[in-house]
Amino acid sequence: MRKTIYDIAKELNVAPSTVSKALNNKSGISEKMRQKIQQYAKDVRYYADWNASKLKTKRSFSIGVVYSEDLDIGLEHTFFSSILQSFKSYVEAHGYEITFVISNLGNREISYLDFCLHKNIDGVFIVTSLPGDPYLKELVNSDISCVTTDIYHENLFTVISDNVDGAKQAVRYLHQMGHTKIAHVSERHFFPAARERLEGFYEAMRELNLPVQDEHIIMCEYYAFEYGYEAGQRFLALDDRPTAVFVVADIIAMGFISALKEAGLNVPDDVSVIGFDDIPFAKHYEPKLTTISQNTTKLGEKAADHLLKQMNEKTGVRSGTEKVPVELIVRDSVKKC
Amino acid sequence: MRKTIYDIAKELNVAPSTVSKALNNKSGISEKMRQKIQQYAKDVRYYADWNASKLKTKRSFSIGVVYSEDLDIGLEHTFFSSILQSFKSYVEAHGYEITFVISNLGNREISYLDFCLHKNIDGVFIVTSLPGDPYLKELVNSDISCVTTDIYHENLFTVISDNVDGAKQAVRYLHQMGHTKIAHVSERHFFPAARERLEGFYEAMRELNLPVQDEHIIMCEYYAFEYGYEAGQRFLALDDRPTAVFVVADIIAMGFISALKEAGLNVPDDVSVIGFDDIPFAKHYEPKLTTISQNTTKLGEKAADHLLKQMNEKTGVRSGTEKVPVELIVRDSVKKC
DNA sequence: TACCTATATGTTAAGGTTTGCATAAAAAGA
DNA sequence: TCTTTTTATGCAAACCTTAACATATAGGTA
């Protein structure tokens, strides 16, 4: 049977509270006694019962993770899961564990907030979420500290890649390589990343005094290879084809390129393509994809860092944004014009 | 302030225990009363305090997940994370949540078993683990129900793809397409999957009465594109080159193919290649990879199902294996000889 | 010596739930 | 109507930890 603090107290002829103090490094106890108790606890492999301790302290040292599994963005989505991985490592190093916030256990439906409240969750990281989720709104407006990534939400701190700058870097690089007629493949729904990259595209083009024709902005249905392929076909149908394309995301860029290849065009000889994200496969695609790399490790760490601060400082700063720098990764899909 | 069972009891003029019984569907209470209390609880959005309830019942309704993050197999590893996703959905539908089993919170080191014991974990899913991890052994030999996937461990039930059969399907398919000189790229460390696929390769070759030369078994360092590339180079150096290759994993197959392409060979015109896994990118690679698909959804579900059974039935059946069928996915990397 | 302070240790209630047991009420049987 | 059985409800302990408060002890000061 598992030992309790009472057992230890009895065995050491001290009071339970003394044991508790020793183990929790609280004051009001002699150093000698602390050592003795800690040593003993180690010897008998005592660990405080998690639940009893949480029940009492009202702090769970666990951080909720909202990870909506619809829309193909479950754990297998590398971008988010690698942010989560980094987030997880960071908070664990600070003594927290993570818990998935779920809206139904078995068959009883429960709102995110209720879930967190009743589990005494200390803070929440919203990794992916469906736009307009009512549970989310309720949670965000509650007293529980929250941060998110890659999306914006009123009253919620966001850690996000510097998409505008990334897009500008991409365009500038294409320009540097001699391209002046540049197209952009964007995404129809305008998730924040897409919107910002489009914005950055326009800005950079303006700064470089390059004209942008409406038909050179190609709208893609969603983040998927197939839609990129479709966009490629539409690109091929253009009368006056640009020599370079900045594509909103690597996965779309790959589909895009595959359409060009199929039509007998060579990338980068005929058309230069630059992507965004630097997904793990970008370096293995043919041609190896030149792209703007998002730093998922940093995204996760910054999110974790900000959340922990927010939780501990109880500062009222709920909204705001931290932009994480992105980096141009030069590979083989862009060529001098 | 959050409502407790006492508040509700007072408001409804009943005893706390009555409320508890009503909410937990325990017997010894009239149906009318149960309805009334449940309705009221719903109205005031009452949920039992997780910790208090766990403390008392000694059942946490949470399942530990051992997910070793070293060796590049953290959450961003799609194969394991998609198994985990499927596992998670399944157990959540059955009223369980998942918790990562970690060996250090903050700075205090804790063994897996201690962690589980002190959190009252009901069962554990070992997703990835380092071979020879002492904590693992201790956990597996404890009273806590465990299952794993993709590896074997004494005293531990495993859910794993039918690798032998998959390899045989692969070889048979190559043979069917007219190939008789077939090579195999394996992996040096002989993780179970690699070992079984090698075994299946030999078996199928024997059954088909095809000779296998020693130098046609190419050992690759590890599961990575780069090592596949290296293997490809070694293949190129072969005097008497086979016309077809069965590669132990898609990611290696892709690196392998890229080496061939670089040397001016065409896949599948010059050499046919079949992979294993069906990673998400297989269908986008060039050529689209013919491969043996592992059913990650099923792997996760079966693991979950077995674990829940083991937990509830308290059956002594700890070891054993469930093989999940794999499927040949015909794409473009294999051609008639 | 008497008293005070600081520090070390002990006592006990609280945290919210569940559960075995006791009791009360209702239903059934005589 | 009275006893017996069944059913519904309440009481109180238990789960284990923490923390506020109380007490004891040692050392120092007047």
Side-chain angles (χ1 to χ4, degrees):
Chain A
M1 206 47 217
R2 214 167 74 203
K3 282 205 194 293
T4 74
I5 215 171
Y6 283 97
D7 299 325
I8 295 191
K10 199 172 291 172
E11 285 154 23
L12 256 42
N13 283 315
V14 294
S17 63
T18 307
V19 179
S20 174
K21 280 171 197 159
L23 262 25
N24 294 297
N25 284 314
K26 290 281 161 85
S27 63
I29 188 176
S30 68
E31 196 49 35
K32 214 172 65 187
M33 183 58 103
R34 182 189 310 286
Q35 291 301 333
K36 181 176 162 197
I37 293 176
Q38 286 190 350
Q39 186 56 52
Y40 188 79
K42 199 175 242 170
D43 291 346
V44 300
R45 293 178 57 155
Y46 167 86
Y47 289 92
D49 182 289
W50 211 282
N51 300 123
S53 141
K54 280 176 177 177
L55 170 61
K56 181 68 203 189
T57 58
K58 295 282 164 205
R59 286 211 57 185
S60 63
F61 281 95
S62 58
I63 291 181
V65 170
V66 172
Y67 209 117
S68 161
E69 277 142 27
D70 306 308
L71 260 173
D72 273 336
I73 40 180
L75 284 175
E76 54 266 74
H77 190 296
T78 32
F79 176 66
F80 293 111
S81 64
S82 89
I83 292 180
L84 180 58
Q85 174 67 65
S86 143
F87 179 91
K88 176 171 176 286
S89 302
Y90 191 97
V91 297
E92 281 172 3
H94 287 75
Y96 290 82
E97 47 148 24
I98 69 169
T99 293
F100 289 101
V101 176
I102 45 193
S103 51
N104 45 19
L105 262 270
N107 32 28
R108 198 135 137 77
E109 171 104 3
I110 181 170
S111 84
Y112 294 154
L113 177 58
D114 285 332
F115 181 92
C116 293
L117 251 26
H118 294 272
K119 281 200 78 176
N120 289 305
I121 294 290
D122 293 330
V124 178
F125 181 32
I126 296 157
V127 185
T128 61
S129 60
L130 279 73
D133 185 338
Y135 285 160
L136 196 66
K137 191 160 189 174
E138 180 198 45
L139 175 63
V140 166
N141 294 326
S142 75
D143 281 339
I144 297 177
S145 302
C146 300
V147 303
T148 190
T149 185
D150 207 51
I151 57 161
Y152 296 98
H153 195 289
E154 55 178 335
N155 228 11
L156 187 51
F157 191 90
T158 298
V159 177
I160 190 169
S161 283
D162 194 338
N163 289 301
V164 172
D165 178 64
K168 288 168 79 169
Q169 282 189 48
V171 173
R172 271 191 232 119
Y173 176 67
L174 292 175
H175 180 252
Q176 225 172 283
M177 298 299 275
H179 297 275
T180 51
K181 264 204 289 189
I182 303 175
H184 177 45
V185 175
S186 183
E187 175 270 324
R188 204 171 72 74
H189 296 282
F190 291 130
F191 287 120
R195 197 182 56 238
E196 293 177 352
R197 290 167 199 180
L198 180 65
E199 193 184 311
F201 172 79
Y202 274 116
E203 258 182 55
M205 292 296 274
R206 187 165 1 96
E207 282 172 19
L208 294 165
N209 270 316
L210 300 177
V212 19
Q213 291 174 243
D214 281 356
E215 63 268 32
H216 289 173
I217 306 288
I218 299 176
M219 282 299 161
C220 176
E221 180 61 30
Y222 190 60
Y223 296 96
F225 189 93
E226 292 71 21
Y227 294 118
Y229 180 86
E230 209 176 281
Q233 293 183 311
R234 259 176 291 147
F235 175 82
L236 288 165
L238 249 40
D239 296 328
D240 179 27
R241 261 192 332 239
T243 60
V245 187
F246 163 46
V247 182
V248 66
D250 286 350
I251 186 72
I252 297 179
M254 291 179 187
F256 185 88
I257 291 174
S258 90
L260 304 204
K261 286 203 274 193
E262 205 177 282
L265 291 188
N266 179 286
V267 175
D269 290 340
D270 300 314
V271 179
S272 286
V273 175
I274 186 168
F276 205 117
D277 287 348
D278 196 24
I279 60 177
F281 217 79
K283 60 173 167 302
H284 300 143
Y285 198 66
E286 212 141 308
K288 296 186 178 63
L289 206 62
T290 293
T291 190
I292 303 294
S293 163
Q294 295 202 69
N295 191 335
T296 51
T297 307
K298 201 127 225 161
L299 285 165
E301 280 171 5
K302 290 281 179 191
D305 184 57
H306 192 90
L307 181 58
L308 294 182
K309 280 216 186 80
Q310 201 180 122
M311 279 161 40
N312 295 323
E313 293 173 9
K314 278 282 161 215
T315 153
V317 193
R318 300 294 295 258
S319 54
T321 304
E322 171 150 5
K323 296 243 188 267
V324 172
V326 294
E327 189 191 354
L328 171 67
I329 306 288
V330 174
R331 297 203 185 93
D332 306 338
S333 63
V334 172
K335 212 185 121 178
K336 262 217 151 64
C337 182
Chain B
M1 204 46 217
R2 212 169 76 201
K3 278 203 196 297
T4 74
I5 215 169
Y6 283 96
D7 299 325
I8 296 193
K10 198 172 290 172
E11 286 155 24
L12 255 41
N13 282 315
V14 294
S17 61
T18 307
V19 178
S20 173
K21 281 169 196 160
L23 262 28
N24 294 296
N25 284 315
K26 288 282 161 82
S27 62
I29 188 178
S30 67
E31 196 48 36
K32 213 173 64 188
M33 184 59 102
R34 182 190 310 284
Q35 291 301 334
K36 182 176 161 195
I37 293 176
Q38 286 191 350
Q39 185 56 50
Y40 188 79
K42 198 174 243 170
D43 291 347
V44 299
R45 291 179 55 157
Y46 167 86
Y47 290 93
D49 181 289
W50 211 281
N51 300 124
S53 134
K54 279 177 180 175
L55 170 61
K56 181 64 198 182
T57 60
K58 298 282 167 205
R59 288 211 53 187
S60 63
F61 282 95
S62 57
I63 291 180
V65 171
V66 172
Y67 210 116
S68 160
E69 275 141 27
D70 307 309
L71 259 173
D72 272 337
I73 40 180
L75 283 175
E76 55 266 74
H77 191 295
T78 32
F79 176 66
F80 293 110
S81 64
S82 91
I83 291 179
L84 180 59
Q85 174 69 65
S86 145
F87 179 89
K88 175 171 178 284
S89 301
Y90 192 97
V91 297
E92 282 172 3
H94 287 75
Y96 290 83
E97 48 148 22
I98 69 169
T99 292
F100 288 100
V101 176
I102 46 193
S103 53
N104 44 18
L105 263 271
N107 32 27
R108 197 135 137 78
E109 170 103 3
I110 181 169
S111 85
Y112 294 155
L113 178 58
D114 286 331
F115 182 93
C116 293
L117 251 25
H118 294 271
K119 281 199 80 177
N120 289 306
I121 294 289
D122 292 329
V124 177
F125 181 31
I126 296 155
V127 186
T128 62
S129 60
L130 278 74
D133 185 339
Y135 284 161
L136 196 65
K137 191 160 189 175
E138 180 197 46
L139 175 63
V140 166
N141 294 327
S142 75
D143 281 339
I144 297 177
S145 303
C146 300
V147 302
T148 189
T149 186
D150 208 49
I151 56 162
Y152 296 98
H153 196 289
E154 56 179 334
N155 228 12
L156 186 51
F157 191 90
T158 299
V159 176
I160 190 169
S161 284
D162 193 338
N163 289 300
V164 172
D165 179 64
K168 288 169 81 170
Q169 281 189 49
V171 173
R172 271 192 233 118
Y173 176 67
L174 292 174
H175 180 251
Q176 224 172 286
M177 299 297 276
H179 297 275
T180 51
K181 265 204 290 189
I182 303 175
H184 177 45
V185 175
S186 184
E187 175 269 325
R188 205 172 71 72
H189 296 283
F190 291 128
F191 286 120
R195 198 182 52 235
E196 293 179 350
R197 289 167 199 179
L198 180 65
E199 193 183 314
F201 173 78
Y202 274 118
E203 256 182 58
M205 294 295 273
R206 188 165 1 97
E207 282 172 18
L208 295 166
N209 271 314
L210 299 177
V212 18
Q213 290 174 244
D214 282 356
E215 63 267 33
H216 290 173
I217 305 288
I218 300 176
M219 282 299 161
C220 175
E221 181 60 31
Y222 190 60
Y223 297 95
F225 189 93
E226 291 71 20
Y227 294 117
Y229 180 87
E230 210 176 279
Q233 293 184 312
R234 259 177 290 147
F235 175 81
L236 287 166
L238 249 39
D239 295 328
D240 178 29
R241 256 187 342 235
T243 59
V245 187
F246 163 46
V247 182
V248 67
D250 287 351
I251 186 73
I252 297 179
M254 291 178 185
F256 185 88
I257 291 174
S258 91
L260 303 204
K261 286 202 275 194
E262 207 177 280
L265 291 190
N266 178 286
V267 174
D269 290 342
D270 300 315
V271 180
S272 285
V273 175
I274 186 168
F276 206 118
D277 288 348
D278 196 24
I279 60 177
F281 217 79
K283 59 174 171 298
H284 301 141
Y285 197 64
E286 213 140 305
K288 295 185 178 65
L289 205 62
T290 293
T291 191
I292 304 292
S293 163
Q294 294 203 68
N295 192 335
T296 51
T297 307
K298 202 122 220 167
L299 285 166
E301 281 171 4
K302 290 281 178 189
D305 184 56
H306 192 89
L307 182 57
L308 294 182
K309 280 216 186 82
Q310 200 180 125
M311 280 160 41
N312 295 323
E313 294 174 7
K314 278 282 162 215
T315 154
V317 193
R318 300 294 294 262
S319 53
T321 305
E322 172 150 3
K323 296 242 188 270
V324 173
V326 295
E327 190 190 355
L328 170 68
I329 306 286
V330 174
R331 295 203 185 94
D332 306 339
S333 63
V334 172
K335 212 183 120 178
K336 262 215 152 63
C337 183

